[in-house]
Amino acid sequence: MKTLWLTQVAAIVRLEIGKTFFSRRGLWVYLLACMPMVIFGGHSIVWLKRGLPCDFGHDTNVFASIFQVLDMRLTLFFGCLGIFMNLFRGEMLDRSLHFYFLSPVRREVLLVGKYLAGLLAAVTIFTTSTVVQWGLMYAHFPKSVMESYLRDGNGWRHLTAYAGVTVLGCIGYGSVFLLAGALMKNPIVPAAAVLVWESINSFAPAVLQKFSVIYYLKSLCPIEAPPDVGPVFSMLLVNADPVAPAVAVPGMLLFTMLVLVVAAMRVRKMEIHYGTD
Amino acid sequence: MSEPHEIVFDNVSKFYGDVLGVNRVSLSIPPGITSLVGPNGSGKTTLMNLMTGLLRPTRGSIRVLGVAPDNPEELFRQLGYCTQFDSFPKGFTGYQFVYSFLRLYGSTHAEADQFAWRAIERVNLVEAAHRKIAGYSKGMRQRIKLAQATCHGPAVLVLDEPLNGLDPLVRAEVIALLRSLAEEGMHIIISSHILHEVDMISDQVILLSAGYVVAEGKIRGVRDEIQEQPMQILVRSNAPSALAAKVFEQDSVVEAKIHNDGRGLLIKTKDPDKFYRLLNRIALNGIAVESVIPADDDVNSLYEYLIGSEDKPR
Ligand SMILES: Nc1ncnc2c1ncn2[C@@H]1O[C@H](COP(=O)(O)OP(=O)(O)OP(=O)(O)O)[C@@H](O)[C@H]1O
Ligand SMILES: [Mg+2]
């Protein structure tokens, strides 16, 4: 009996995984994950065609900027929105949530199961995307140069850091959008609210900054993005008050836990109203 | 206070915003077959959803064999609910629908497989079990829901209009099935808007009208006269004169007089359903209504006839 909830979580993940990977409402998540790949692939092709010199310093900075603006703020953000927002809301719309609510499963356990299923999909899709993006960025470098960059230089460290940031991003944004989908039927309002909050976050008081996903992700990026990318982007890129990874990772996890606890309280109180019957 | 062998509603009200679902329901439901009977919108589904935690009461409390409905882990070990919702998880076959529920229950694959087939056999759906529910007929969907609600051998079975969409043959089979389950000591709660549909099988009937329990007890037969003669109703309230003023807005109210003890209003109406709806609006506008009791001797005898005082002939 002690492991009943684990059995139940496994059963829920099995039921949900198909939906989180291939939901009718979420196919654009894949398009989103491919979008940055096109940019980085294009970059390598142009460099190869023109025979431009391979410059680690330049490419690393470009990757850092694009990753922070495009991946962290758009791809991951909207991707997690697409996957996690529908965990509860989607079943309300499909009028199938009562199937779970009428089974001997605590609502908290249901939440954990659904969150894990979402996480599995998000982490798989977006970590793959990040790694492929990184590979495409440097695809025009000679193979031997790349190998030694990975082995002796900063390559491996950067790659794992970006992958790690992606995983943490899924964890953090996932919880936020799960909560948003449990709170509201209309996804636009909470999505816009979170987007604005994450964007202006660097100007918020230090205490409030800790209640955002981007704050932790920025601190974990392996290099600071150069601020010479125009005023709008540099506003998004500055990290006034970075924290060490030893703080940022537990901080992100703690933040996620908090959000999930609030979501669990909300799901416990949830009623089934499918509209007119 | 709560009886561990009964289903107990203690002064339960449910409002949807300011729409009344049910008001001041107090019930103790013993084992056997109990039917909730009332016209559309009288609150049958609301009561069932409250009992199973799909809704939370605005006021009052509920215990199902001693378990609170907001404790699903305990509740659904002993309760199965066949809902009025005609929607299923996307892409499920009939078998998957029952099997998945059993996996959530905690059964191993082998157990879940065995129990699922047993339940599916009981409702005669073996042939169609591996087909998608989306392609089922209304009656088949009704039966697969029944299989899911009974597959784990619950002690309480809640069925919202379970006979809807079934052809006479299947209907008879389902009724026989419910009878045999009730004889094993199960609690079975069935809703219906047609009294004579359930009068033959019920041990007990609860009559609902516009959110109020208007009568409960054992049933003996059915009469249509309830609509025809003016009916006298005693409404208990601490503001009977304010209530009387409001009540006269309605033309089907024939007479209204303040009760001898000054804490209630005696009303005669030809259309009790309409009157109950009016009463709900009044209650929502701030006049406290404590209870509503059919008070007419004739109507009382009719209800007694309906729900079983032994000595009254027809
Ligand atoms: N989600 C909801 N929002 C607002 N009002 C609701 C909601 N669900 C039910 N109601 C109202 O509550 C009252 C009781 O409805 P309920 O569904 O319990 O009736 P019912 O007896 O099951 O009717 P039926 O025979 O049509 O199934 C009705 O007036 C209905 O309009
Ligand atoms: Mg109903």
Side-chain angles (χ1 to χ4, degrees):
Chain A
M1 282 308 274
K2 235 197 293 177
T3 56
L4 174 65
W5 72 275
L6 283 176
T7 316
Q8 291 177 326
V9 165
I12 295 164
V13 170
R14 273 198 304 275
L15 287 174
E16 291 291 304
I17 199 90
K19 283 189 269 177
T20 52
F21 268 98
F22 307 105
S23 91
R24 191 170 41 85
R25 292 194 184 86
L27 284 180
W28 51 273
V29 168
Y30 285 92
L31 287 178
L32 217 51
C34 290
M35 189 178 64
M37 294 183 199
V38 176
I39 295 174
F40 293 119
H43 159 87
S44 276
I45 291 170
V46 169
W47 251 245
L48 275 177
K49 275 208 167 153
R50 297 200 185 151
L52 293 170
C54 300
D55 177 350
F56 271 117
H58 173 267
D59 279 12
T60 305
N61 279 342
V62 169
F63 187 86
S65 307
I66 295 186
F67 183 84
Q68 289 203 24
V69 174
L70 191 64
D71 283 84
M72 268 164 45
R73 289 177 188 275
L74 292 174
T75 310
L76 260 187
F77 181 91
F78 285 103
C80 287
L81 183 150
I83 293 173
F84 289 90
M85 188 87 104
N86 280 329
L87 289 176
F88 284 93
R89 184 182 152 270
E91 289 217 51
M92 271 290 188
L93 295 178
D94 289 343
R95 308 160 75 92
S96 56
L97 190 56
H98 66 280
F99 173 70
Y100 281 121
F101 279 11
L102 294 176
S103 63
V105 176
R106 282 162 164 273
R107 302 265 176 104
E108 294 85 343
V109 172
L110 175 62
L111 179 123
V112 170
K114 278 182 167 280
Y115 177 69
L116 285 181
L119 208 54
L120 263 165
V123 165
T124 309
I125 295 168
F126 292 109
T127 314
T128 308
S129 167
T130 298
V131 171
V132 172
Q133 286 171 42
W134 195 85
L136 286 172
M137 182 74 203
Y138 301 104
H140 62 101
F141 282 61
K143 209 174 157 212
S144 56
V145 177
M146 252 345 261
E147 274 171 3
S148 72
Y149 179 53
L150 273 173
R151 202 175 45 237
D152 310 318
N154 283 325
W156 184 248
R157 188 173 66 81
H158 282 194
L159 180 59
T160 48
Y162 284 122
V165 166
T166 308
V167 171
L168 277 178
C170 294
I171 290 176
Y173 281 134
S175 66
V176 170
F177 288 118
L178 185 150
L179 173 63
L183 282 177
M184 305 198 196
K185 279 199 175 168
N186 184 346
I188 313 266
V189 178
V194 179
L195 191 60
V196 168
W197 169 243
E198 297 284 353
S199 305
I200 61 162
N201 183 260
S202 20
F203 306 108
V207 188
L208 289 180
Q209 286 195 14
K210 301 197 168 45
F211 293 94
S212 94
V213 175
I214 214 80
Y215 169 76
Y216 300 100
L217 297 189
K218 266 203 273 189
S219 299
L220 287 167
C221 283
I223 62 165
E224 259 192 65
D228 58 353
V229 282
V232 181
F233 281 170
S234 64
M235 178 191 90
L236 296 175
L237 293 174
V238 288
N239 194 358
D241 178 25
V243 287
V247 181
V249 174
M252 180 82 264
L253 297 179
L254 190 69
F255 170 80
T256 302
M257 285 298 286
L258 270 175
V259 175
L260 287 180
V261 166
V262 175
M265 290 181 339
R266 167 70 199 162
V267 172
R268 262 192 78 89
K269 294 230 164 72
M270 211 182 245
E271 296 189 331
I272 297 283
H273 296 291
Y274 293 145
T276 46
D277 264 307
Chain B
M1 157 121 201
S2 90
E3 206 23 78
H5 304 298
E6 299 200 325
I7 299 166
V8 181
F9 282 76
D10 184 15
N11 202 20
V12 172
S13 301
K14 174 68 188 176
F15 294 86
Y16 300 97
D18 34 314
V19 178
L20 178 88
V22 293
N23 202 11
R24 293 177 178 271
V25 172
S26 290
L27 288 171
S28 258
I29 305 176
I33 299 185
T34 302
S35 293
L36 296 178
V37 181
N40 292 135
S42 55
K44 306 180 294 290
T45 301
T46 302
L47 274 188
M48 291 184 157
N49 286 352
L50 285 167
M51 199 188 297
T52 51
L54 294 189
L55 294 174
R56 300 184 144 229
T58 313
R59 273 193 299 274
S61 76
I62 302 163
R63 289 288 178 279
V64 177
L65 314 191
V67 180
D70 67 354
N71 178 2
E73 197 182 352
E74 293 289 317
L75 183 73
F76 294 109
R77 308 229 134 239
Q78 47 187 1
L79 187 150
Y81 182 16
C82 172
T83 67
Q84 205 174 18
F85 305 127
D86 204 11
S87 49
F88 298 81
K90 273 252 154 60
F92 267 21
T93 63
Y95 171 80
Q96 284 171 332
F97 181 56
V98 183
Y99 172 85
S100 306
F101 173 81
L102 286 160
R103 291 310 297 264
L104 291 173
Y105 181 83
S107 304
T108 62
H109 164 73
E111 287 165 353
D113 186 63
Q114 184 196 342
F115 289 147
W117 281 119
R118 202 177 62 190
I120 290 169
E121 256 167 49
R122 205 155 49 194
V123 296
N124 278 332
L125 270 181
V126 174
E127 245 100 277
H130 285 307
R131 273 164 47 196
K132 291 245 157 84
I133 297 178
Y136 279 13
S137 71
K138 167 94 181 149
M140 289 161 83
R141 292 198 298 275
Q142 204 64 41
R143 281 186 281 157
I144 201 69
K145 283 196 277 185
L146 192 61
Q148 189 246 297
T150 52
C151 65
H152 57 309
V156 180
L157 189 56
V158 182
L159 308 160
D160 202 350
E161 316 231 359
L163 303 176
N164 250 359
L166 301 184
D167 63 56
L169 200 69
V170 180
R171 184 181 287 241
E173 279 171 19
V174 168
I175 288 175
L177 172 67
L178 299 180
R179 267 258 142 265
S180 72
L181 290 172
E183 268 153 30
E184 291 165 23
M186 241 172 122
H187 273 80
I188 300 181
I189 322 272
I190 303 176
S191 78
S192 172
H193 52 274
I194 313 162
L195 189 52
H196 67 248
E197 182 180 77
V198 287
D199 64 345
M200 303 296 286
I201 54 167
S202 308
D203 300 311
Q204 209 210 169
V205 170
I206 294 168
L207 293 177
L208 288 169
S209 180
Y212 287 90
V213 172
V214 289
E216 59 172 310
K218 300 221 179 300
I219 184 158
R220 290 230 349 244
V222 194
R223 294 295 298 264
D224 294 326
E225 290 155 39
I226 209 164
Q227 297 290 348
E228 282 158 28
Q229 51 203 116
M231 172 172 171
Q232 191 161 299
I233 298 167
L234 174 59
V235 182
R236 285 282 178 203
S237 166
N238 50 16
S241 44
L243 193 61
K246 294 266 182 195
V247 152
F248 265 116
E249 287 169 12
Q250 197 188 7
D251 48 23
S252 63
V253 173
V254 184
E255 187 185 300
K257 61 171 186 251
I258 293 176
H259 194 259
N260 293 340
D261 62 14
R263 290 188 297 107
L265 193 65
L266 272 166
I267 282 150
K268 252 191 192 155
T269 175
K270 281 183 293 203
D271 188 348
D273 272 340
K274 206 163 155 199
F275 172 73
Y276 286 127
R277 281 197 296 276
L278 172 76
L279 198 58
N280 288 339
R281 285 200 298 278
I282 293 173
L284 285 169
N285 287 331
I287 298 179
V289 172
E290 276 152 34
S291 67
V292 183
I293 315 153
D296 193 294
D297 281 347
D298 291 338
V299 174
N300 258 346
S301 61
L302 181 62
Y303 271 124
E304 269 165 30
Y305 173 73
L306 282 175
I307 53 188
S309 120
E310 304 302 328
D311 47 19
K312 283 257 164 54
R314 111 193 283 267

